[in-house]
């Protein structure tokens, strides 16, 4: 990925939305996509004409145009590679296609052109979309900030001009302009883009804040502690780029194989042509034998031996809500032997809910009465905890009373007059003072030890109850963890930026042991956890949904993003997306990918057997060209039909069974 992708695009104002603006390259803005589409259309028009006896002038120009539109770019790239003394397999396929045309097999050559043009277009599109995602990530951080001078005056400056030691003002609803520490003020800051925490974090003097996170209802004065280029959000972009580049060794290995194959086929074809000539063979017969050799030794059958099972598996997974972005991804999914799960929005639903209602003994209120009081006071608030309380009351069918004199204090809670009583709802640490404090503190501590967020409810200054609020485990999480454990032979690990107590509680419910729980992690820590597994030779699958998961998704052998609430960057960086947010489909698609890999092996054996047999026949005897073409195309049909078996719903049902075993 070019380094200039990390240059921040200019904008007039900071973005205040929860996600970065989408920057998506249009498919047909890419020259490769336009060429591939044109070649495919021309090929499909020409295909039915020749078998029906149409004159050559009707279909010949169409096939010729297919060669030109689809083959020009790879041919030119191959010629440029030759200048660097590298023989590209795409150039070899162009030569094979032209060779096929010279002996009358125009359709075979055109098919090769279409296949390789389409492959190049998909690769170009994937690269462009990754670049779009990195640009979108940088848009999370505002381009301007309010800098405070020593005399208290304000100035709006570009964030890249901020230096360590500057003081900035972050107003309610604005995004923080730089990594720094709070000098004054109190607020809640939504920093899910960095840590993955499901709830806004209370910030006051001395607390750290990150560029790109969204400020709540309070104003903050922040001292800048990192340059813009060194902020956490910028480092995430750098890590996505770096992790994507770490896949290059695999690509280099493939290129070496292509190089050897290309050179071998060129020399073999020349030998088949020249050696008989040296012994006095007829020129036309030698050329026909060489062209027959090029046809039967063509890798078309091998390519189709690989692609139908993988593409069929992709189509089947897509029908069941899993978007797998390429055949390479499907193949890698079948290699997975270790899994790392994010918590918030992946293992859990990502929405806080009331899990516990603890009325205190003295006031004598019931659970419903305590919840109804809290919901009435919280009703005007937009805080996620407030919404959880109100939703909890509505779920129980409780009436929400009218209120007066509502006030909200960032980091503390809310107060309101409800039914003639002054009701306060908020942080136990901030509200406890006086009668019943010891009992309420004990209940709150017990809830927090269990991984809940404790919310205290006071009536006229007296604690009447404590609510426990937590993100809820997905209904299919436990079964998914068990299925992944069976498939990979090891328990998945949990990697999360949430606090250790909440992480440990959710992990235990899901069946993940304490040693496999890694909490309080920043994005770079998640990447390090993945790399530790890979250093032990494991093929790691990472499942996540947030911007903070993107570096780990890119660094892993395979990354899967949850689609419904996933950030743009996570969706673009991930190799596959769970569109319907059904976590249970993950082990199913892994099992389906393993079935596809088994079929690939079968097909490669079949294709290799046909190619080897036909090549030997052509070399030791006289292989008639029609029979060579029939054998070549017959092997293609056989492996294609074998691969298409994975299109059936029965294949998904078998994958479901395999994943549950």
């Amino acid at each position: 990925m070019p380094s200039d992708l990390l240059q921040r695009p200019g904008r007039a104002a900071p973005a205040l939305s929860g996600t970065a603006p989408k920057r998506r390259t249009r498919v047909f803005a890419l020259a490769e996509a336009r060429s591939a589409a044109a070649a495919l259309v021309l090929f499909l028009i020409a295909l039915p004409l020749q078998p029906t006896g149409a004159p050559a002038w009707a279909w010949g120009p169409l096939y010729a145009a297919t060669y030109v539109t689809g083959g020009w770019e790879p041919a030119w790239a191959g010629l440029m590679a030759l200048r660097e003394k590298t023989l590209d397999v795409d150039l070899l396929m162009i030569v094979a296609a032209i060779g096929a045309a010279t002996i009358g097999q125009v359709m075979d050559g055109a098919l090769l052109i279409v296949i390789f043009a389409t492959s190049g277009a998909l690769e170009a599109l994937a690269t462009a979309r990754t670049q779009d995602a990195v640009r979108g990530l940088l848009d999370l951080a505002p381009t301007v900030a309010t800098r405070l001078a020593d005399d208290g005056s304000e100035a709006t400056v570009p964030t890249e001009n901020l230096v360590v030691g500057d003081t900035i003002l972050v107003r309610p609803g604005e995004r923080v302009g730089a990594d720094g520490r709070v000098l004054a003020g109190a607020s809640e800051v939504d920093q899910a883009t960095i840590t993955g925490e499901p709830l806004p974090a209370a910030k006051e003097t001395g607390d750290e804040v990150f560029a790109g996170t969204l400020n709540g209802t309070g104003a903050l004065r922040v001292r800048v502690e990192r340059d813009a280029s060194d902020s956490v959000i910028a480092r995430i972009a750098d890590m996505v780029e770096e992790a994507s580049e770490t896949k290059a060794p695999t690509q280099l290995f493939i290129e070496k194989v292509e190089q050897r194959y290309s050179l071998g086929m060129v020399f073999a074809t020349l030998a088949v042509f020249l050696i008989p000539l040296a012994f006095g063979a007829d020129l036309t017969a030698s050329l026909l034998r060489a062209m027959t050799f090029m046809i039967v030794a063509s890798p078309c059958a091998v390519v189709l031996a690989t692609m139908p099972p993988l593409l069929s598996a992709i189509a089947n997974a897509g029908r069941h809500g899993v978007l797998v972005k390429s055949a390479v991804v499907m193949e890698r999914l079948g290699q997975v032997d270790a899994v790392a799960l994010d918590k918030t929005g992946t293992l859990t639903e990502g929405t806080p809910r009331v899990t516990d209602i603890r009325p205190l003994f003295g006031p004598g209120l019931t659970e419903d009465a305590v919840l109804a009081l809290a919901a009435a006071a919280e009703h005007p608030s937009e805080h996620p905890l407030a919404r959880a309380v109100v939703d909890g009351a509505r779920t129980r069918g409780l009436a929400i009373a009218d209120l007066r004199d509502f006030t909200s204090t960032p980091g503390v809670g809310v107060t309101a007059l409800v039914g003639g009583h002054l009701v306060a709802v908020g942080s136990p640490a901030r509200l406890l003072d006086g009668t019943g404090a010891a009992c309420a503190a004990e209940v709150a501590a017990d809830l927090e030890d269990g991984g809940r967020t404790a919310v205290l409810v006071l009536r006229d200054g007296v604690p009447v109850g404590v609510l426990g609020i937590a993100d809820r485990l997905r209904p299919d999480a436990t079964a998914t963890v068990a299925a992944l454990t069976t498939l990979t032979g090891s328990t998945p690990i949990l990697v999360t930026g949430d606090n250790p107590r909440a992480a440990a509680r959710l992990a235990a419910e899901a069946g993940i042991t304490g040693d496999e729980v890694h909490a309080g992690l920043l994005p770079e820590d998640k990447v390090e956890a993945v790399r530790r597994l890979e250093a032990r030779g494991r093929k790691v699958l990472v499942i996540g949904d947030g911007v903070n998961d993107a570096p780990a998704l890119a660094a892993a052998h395979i990354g899967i993003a949850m689609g419904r609430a996933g950030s743009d960057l996570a969706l673009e960086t991930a190799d596959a997306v769970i569109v319907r947010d059904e976590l249970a489909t993950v082990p199913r698609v892994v099992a389906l990918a393993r079935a596809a890999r088994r079929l690939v092996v079968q097909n490669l054996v079949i294709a290799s057997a046909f190619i080897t047999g036909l090549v030997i026949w052509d070399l030791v005897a006289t292989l008639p060209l029609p029979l060579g073409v029939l054998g070549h195309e017959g092997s293609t049909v056989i492996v294609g039909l074998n691969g298409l078996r994975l299109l059936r719903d029965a294949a998904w049902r078998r994958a479901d069974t395999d994943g549950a075993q």
Side-chain angles (χ1 to χ4, degrees), residues 220 252 267 332 334 492 586:
L220 299 174
L252 290 175
F267 286 123
R332 287 184 174 179
V586 174

Side-chain angles (χ1 to χ4, degrees), residues 589-643:
V589 76
V590 171
L592 185 67
R594 292 187 176 185
R597 290 191 73 222
R598 290 193 295 270
L599 282 188
V600 166
V601 172
Q602 292 177 15
N603 284 351
L604 287 174
V605 170
I606 294 171
S608 299
F610 268 87
I611 291 174
T612 301
L614 292 172
V615 166
I616 293 175
W617 188 349
D618 186 54
L619 293 177
V620 303
T622 300
L623 174 63
L625 179 60
L627 190 57
V629 172
L630 180 63
H632 178 266
E633 297 301 329
S635 65
T636 301
V637 171
I638 290 172
V639 299
L641 292 176
N642 191 38

Side-chain angles (χ1 to χ4, degrees), residues 41 113 209 247 310 349 374 397 413 450 475 478 558 565 588 620 636 661:
V41 170
I113 292 291
V209 292
K247 297 179 181 179
L310 299 175
E349 295 177 343
T478 303
I558 282 293
R588 296 173 189 170
V620 303
T636 301
Q661 288 177 349

Side-chain angles (χ1 to χ4, degrees), residues 148 167-170 181-187 203-207 218-223:
L148 299 178
T167 301
I168 59 174
L169 174 64
V170 185
R181 200 163 297 276
V182 178
L183 294 178
S187 185
K203 299 293 182 181
E204 56 186 16
T205 302
D207 290 337
L220 299 174
R221 289 174 180 254
V222 176
R223 174 185 170 84

Side-chain angles (χ1 to χ4, degrees), residues 59-85:
W59 49 264
L62 292 172
Y63 278 133
T66 301
Y67 279 69
V68 173
T69 55
W72 168 253
E73 185 171 347
W76 180 255
L79 292 174
M80 293 300 100
L82 279 179
R83 294 180 58 183
E84 303 297 327
K85 299 181 179 180

